Amino acid sequence: MKAQFFGMIDKVVRSILPVYQYDSVVMPLSALRYAYIHQEKLGLHLPFSWEELSNDRSGEMVKRALNDLAEQKPNIKLGLSLFNEESVRSVLPELIYHMGKIEFPEDSYELLETYFEAGARAKGKAGIVFEPRELNTIGTRILDIKPGTSIYDFSCRYARALVEAARRNSDVSVHGNDINHEVVGIGQLFCFMCGVKDFELHQQDTIELLTHEKVLDERFDYVISIPPFGLKLDQEIRTKYGIVRRDATIGFVIHALDSLKDDGKAIVTVTNGVLFQGAATGEIRRTLIEDDLIEAVITLPGGVFSGTAIPVSMLVLNKNKDAKRKGKVQIIDATSFGERKRGITIISASEVDHILDSYFGLKEDNKFSRLLNIFEIRENSYNLLPSSYVQMEDAESIIGDVQIDRSAYEKNTPTIPLKQLVSIYRGLNTASSVEPDAVQAKVIQLSDVKDGVLQLETVENYGIKSTTREEEAEIQSGDVLITSRGIAIKFAVVPDLEGSEPYYLSANFIGLRPLPGVDPNFLLAFFESPIGESYIRALRKGSSLPILNVKDIQDIPIPKLSAEEMTEVGLRYKKANQEYVQALETAERIRIHQLEQVYESIGVSKGYKKKA
């Protein structure tokens, strides 16, 4: 049947429509064909035979059949109305003929999921985010939907999560809305063709509900939703949990809670900024944690959505936690999961099972899952990023692949906070080319640090804003530099600057100025170690551009050594690197000499002459 279905699309639809417009033709006609096949069981009375529709060149019979079906099934009226016979008039009889060969099963879920997935990339380019099936599996399994209950999705797209929920328990009512009328219509048809018995999907702007404090007519037992990513508000929204300002994401979380019954449970997929942002979002997060409404955070690998690499997490909300979960938040770090295929990260079935097993078993292994009490979260400024708590990780390091356990390091090694060894300063922002009062100066950028060495000869002049106190960002010999933004993590020690003009750090760096007796190469050895890099990775925040803040690094635990011991470590570290560079240079000279002998032996050396 799949071959017939996709054969029909390739033979007829593909010749007249771009991929992102297939839905408005394929889905209404598929729903009509489905209704004809199952009309007796569905209690339908349709006006024409399918053969009559196949001979309808005007499209009037098809329109009448669609309208008649919409009158009998008003909950799919919007979806059926999407059909535009003008766009396919030239091939409509052929299209109806081929559609008549397809015997849609009572539950056409697998066929339609394959169809949706086949067009996911094109839909992404058209601005429609297509969630992977695995997320809906995780969400509906975690909700553990009971018979006779209701489930709501306030950003339902194609209603794939709602259909997944209904297929797991047919005795539920599903409700959804979305701002995009076309995807709501497709969602209606998807529910219909998957045999969902009780569903209502409507076009509705969730932000409007929040902004005007509109109350839904009913509350639901469960909520599952993936709201729009990166949506910005034009005005602030006041809620009982706090003020939602620029970023709308936390507002969607509040709407999920407002939509639940007193014992309801929700799972909302959000961008990771919600887990750590301060200001108004941070205040709301603090309230939700203190009110014991957040049950779990599952952080997913980047790139699970087609068309975007934004890191996301599944936020589990519960108004009626089990006794063993009260006063606690479970964090699950699945960022290392998934395999990159065709531009998207695919989470395997075994990885889905691992996530669910850890969630339901409340497992703790200090690498993948932990159960945090509210006191620990308070001490960490209500930050919910798993990387701030799960301290074991697999990582590539300067010494090869390792498994890191920061808790074992802290437990077994005497340490001292970084702020007691150095003074920390920020880099400065450069001026734009149109600022007339900008002062020209040497400003260090990311490209000036290569292989752990600051290349002073590549540093260029940039404008410094006239309001900047540039002396605060002027580097000194022996300062340790750490990148503060961007994907790559770089470290370097500032070389001897005696007699040089002033150099300044850009905002891409944080500078560490060692206090008397603290060896900079000791600090560099620590930060380049697997443990040091692990702390930096864990403390960086941000969705698409990781950022490291000064205040976040102040308490990094550094091995507590005497001044003499630090100096000794620094010398050994420098010696190791110098010998490595010398060995590479020696190996390169030997290689060149041997190649020259090879070229001479085969006669090609007579055709070139090395330059001096």
Side-chain angles (χ1 to χ4, degrees):
M1 183 181 61
K2 283 185 181 180
Q4 290 177 315
F5 185 67
F6 285 100
M8 176 268 297
I9 293 173
D10 285 340
K11 185 174 183 179
V12 185
V13 182
R14 186 177 181 181
S15 63
I16 57 173
L17 291 176
V19 176
Y20 64 88
Q21 292 182 5
Y22 284 7
D23 289 350
S24 62
V25 171
V26 172
M27 288 299 291
L29 291 184
S30 295
L32 183 62
R33 175 62 182 163
Y34 178 91
Y36 268 82
I37 294 170
H38 303 288
Q39 60 181 306
E40 184 175 341
K41 189 165 186 176
L42 293 170
L44 299 173
H45 303 283
L46 299 171
F48 308 107
S49 69
W50 196 263
E51 184 178 0
E52 288 176 306
L53 295 182
S54 300
N55 295 321
D56 176 26
R57 295 190 174 278
S58 68
E60 291 303 316
M61 285 186 179
V62 174
K63 285 173 59 178
R64 183 176 165 186
L66 288 167
N67 290 335
D68 198 71
L69 177 58
E71 289 178 7
Q72 296 178 66
K73 289 290 182 181
N75 58 351
I76 61 171
K77 184 174 183 179
L78 177 57
L80 296 173
S81 71
L82 296 176
F83 180 70
N84 180 3
E85 77 278 4
E86 292 296 329
S87 64
V88 292
R89 183 180 296 278
S90 62
V91 296
L92 185 58
E94 184 182 7
L95 188 57
I96 296 296
Y97 170 76
H98 285 288
M99 189 70 78
K101 295 180 179 180
I102 302 171
E103 294 295 318
F104 289 100
E106 189 175 350
D107 182 357
S108 295
Y109 174 82
E110 290 297 337
L111 173 65
L112 295 178
E113 272 288 295
T114 303
Y115 164 72
F116 287 147
E117 289 173 358
R121 186 182 296 273
K123 292 180 177 70
K125 291 180 179 178
I128 300 173
V129 176
F130 189 83
E131 79 273 17
R133 190 190 305 196
E134 293 78 19
L135 263 65
N136 292 331
T137 300
I138 293 169
T140 52
R141 291 272 299 276
I142 284 176
L143 290 180
D144 191 24
I145 297 162
K146 300 293 190 294
T149 57
S150 58
I151 182 165
Y152 170 56
D153 185 346
F154 55 83
S155 184
C156 65
R157 297 185 178 91
Y158 290 175
R160 294 169 63 242
L162 294 174
V163 168
E164 178 87 9
R167 293 179 80 245
R168 289 190 176 278
N169 195 322
S170 60
D171 184 22
V172 295
S173 62
V174 300
H175 309 260
N177 59 48
D178 197 288
I179 192 172
N180 186 325
H181 82 284
E182 181 175 338
V183 299
V184 170
I186 300 302
Q188 290 178 349
L189 302 179
F190 186 44
C191 288
F192 174 62
M193 294 181 67
C194 291
V196 180
K197 296 181 175 62
D198 186 357
F199 66 91
E200 291 289 341
L201 306 182
H202 303 283
Q203 182 184 11
Q204 176 67 61
D205 184 357
T206 304
I207 293 297
E208 183 183 349
L209 292 174
L210 274 169
T211 303
H212 300 290
E213 297 182 305
K214 292 183 178 180
V215 179
L216 293 171
D217 294 335
E218 62 178 306
R219 295 288 185 269
F220 305 96
D221 298 289
Y222 307 97
V223 171
I224 184 169
S225 198
I226 304 174
F229 300 146
L231 185 64
K232 303 301 180 186
L233 299 174
D234 295 327
Q235 62 186 83
E236 65 182 33
I237 302 172
R238 295 184 176 273
T239 75
K240 63 183 178 182
Y241 298 104
I243 300 173
V244 182
R245 290 202 165 95
R246 183 71 175 147
D247 187 351
T249 310
I250 196 70
F252 291 122
V253 175
I254 291 171
H255 180 67
L257 287 166
D258 287 344
S259 305
L260 288 173
K261 294 179 180 179
D262 291 341
D263 59 350
K265 186 174 182 179
I267 187 159
V268 184
T269 301
V270 297
T271 51
N272 287 354
V274 169
L275 306 180
F276 63 82
Q277 287 171 346
T281 296
E283 279 300 305
I284 293 174
R285 186 176 63 252
R286 179 189 65 80
T287 300
L288 300 183
I289 292 170
E290 290 291 349
D291 288 353
D292 208 13
L293 293 170
I294 300 178
E295 179 169 287
V297 177
I298 304 168
T299 301
L300 301 169
V304 292
F305 287 88
S306 61
T308 178
I310 294 176
V312 297
S313 295
M314 304 178 82
L315 200 61
V316 184
L317 310 168
N318 198 336
K319 287 187 172 181
N320 185 31
K321 289 184 179 181
D322 292 341
K324 58 188 176 183
R325 289 188 180 269
K326 286 188 181 296
K328 298 174 182 177
V329 176
Q330 185 179 14
I331 56 169
I332 295 174
D333 185 358
T335 54
S336 63
F337 278 8
E339 181 181 355
R340 197 75 176 166
K341 294 180 180 178
R342 300 183 302 279
I344 189 170
T345 302
I346 307 296
I347 302 175
S348 69
S350 62
E351 290 171 334
V352 169
D353 289 341
H354 191 175
I355 291 170
L356 294 170
D357 187 51
S358 295
Y359 170 80
F360 286 111
L362 283 173
K363 294 187 175 179
E364 294 193 82
D365 58 11
N366 211 30
K367 176 183 178 182
F368 183 75
S369 173
R370 278 200 62 202
L371 200 61
L372 309 174
N373 61 52
I374 288 180
F375 301 105
E376 185 174 358
I377 300 172
R378 280 182 194 144
E379 289 180 356
N380 202 15
S381 303
Y382 297 95
N383 181 352
L384 289 179
L385 271 178
S387 59
S388 300
Y389 302 97
V390 178
Q391 298 190 339
M392 284 185 67
E393 58 179 307
D394 295 325
E396 295 179 359
S397 76
I398 197 170
I399 59 172
D401 293 342
V402 295
Q403 185 177 79
I404 295 167
D405 187 346
R406 296 198 305 273
S407 63
Y409 158 71
E410 293 177 16
K411 187 183 299 182
N412 298 298
T413 304
T415 62
I416 184 171
L418 177 64
K419 63 187 176 185
Q420 295 185 25
L421 298 175
V422 300
S423 60
I424 307 175
Y425 62 95
R426 297 180 178 86
L428 50 82
N429 291 309
T430 53
S432 68
S433 58
V434 297
E435 294 188 47
D437 298 331
V439 178
Q440 293 296 309
K442 295 283 189 181
V443 181
I444 298 165
Q445 303 292 349
L446 292 174
S447 59
D448 299 319
V449 174
K450 297 178 181 177
D451 300 322
V453 178
L454 172 57
Q455 312 279 348
L456 292 175
E457 64 274 12
T458 68
V459 179
E460 297 180 357
N461 284 313
Y462 291 85
I464 299 176
K465 294 180 180 180
S466 56
T467 56
T468 299
R469 298 176 62 182
E470 64 269 15
E471 67 276 4
E472 295 181 358
E474 182 179 352
I475 64 172
Q476 294 181 12
S477 302
D479 286 358
V480 178
L481 310 184
I482 302 176
T483 48
S484 61
R485 63 179 66 176
I487 301 299
I489 301 176
K490 296 183 177 183
F491 310 101
V493 170
V494 176
D496 184 13
L497 297 176
E498 187 175 350
S500 300
E501 60 186 306
Y503 290 87
Y504 302 93
L505 272 191
S506 72
N508 295 316
F509 289 94
I510 291 174
L512 309 179
R513 183 154 298 151
L515 297 179
V518 178
D519 189 281
N521 286 291
F522 157 72
L523 293 175
L524 191 60
F526 170 77
F527 282 115
E528 285 192 344
S529 73
I531 289 292
E533 275 207 22
S534 175
Y535 279 107
I536 297 298
R537 279 195 300 271
L539 292 170
R540 296 193 307 167
K541 300 170 183 175
S543 299
S544 57
L545 183 70
I547 294 175
L548 188 67
N549 294 316
V550 167
K551 66 178 182 179
D552 295 329
I553 68 172
Q554 296 183 72
D555 293 313
I556 291 178
I558 309 296
K560 188 175 182 180
L561 303 180
S562 67
E564 293 76 14
E565 289 171 324
M566 284 190 279
T567 300
E568 173 63 22
V569 169
L571 289 172
R572 288 164 56 196
Y573 169 80
K574 285 180 66 176
K575 184 173 183 290
N577 282 298
Q578 288 168 353
E579 290 181 351
Y580 171 69
V581 171
Q582 291 169 359
L584 286 178
E585 291 174 349
T586 300
E588 181 65 12
R589 285 195 299 271
I590 294 172
R591 174 177 173 269
I592 290 172
H593 177 67
Q594 291 176 341
L595 287 176
E596 287 176 335
Q597 289 180 325
V598 170
Y599 297 156
E600 186 175 355
S601 68
I602 61 176
V604 299
S605 61
K606 300 183 185 300
Y608 65 83
K609 183 177 180 180
K610 290 186 71 174
K611 294 182 178 181

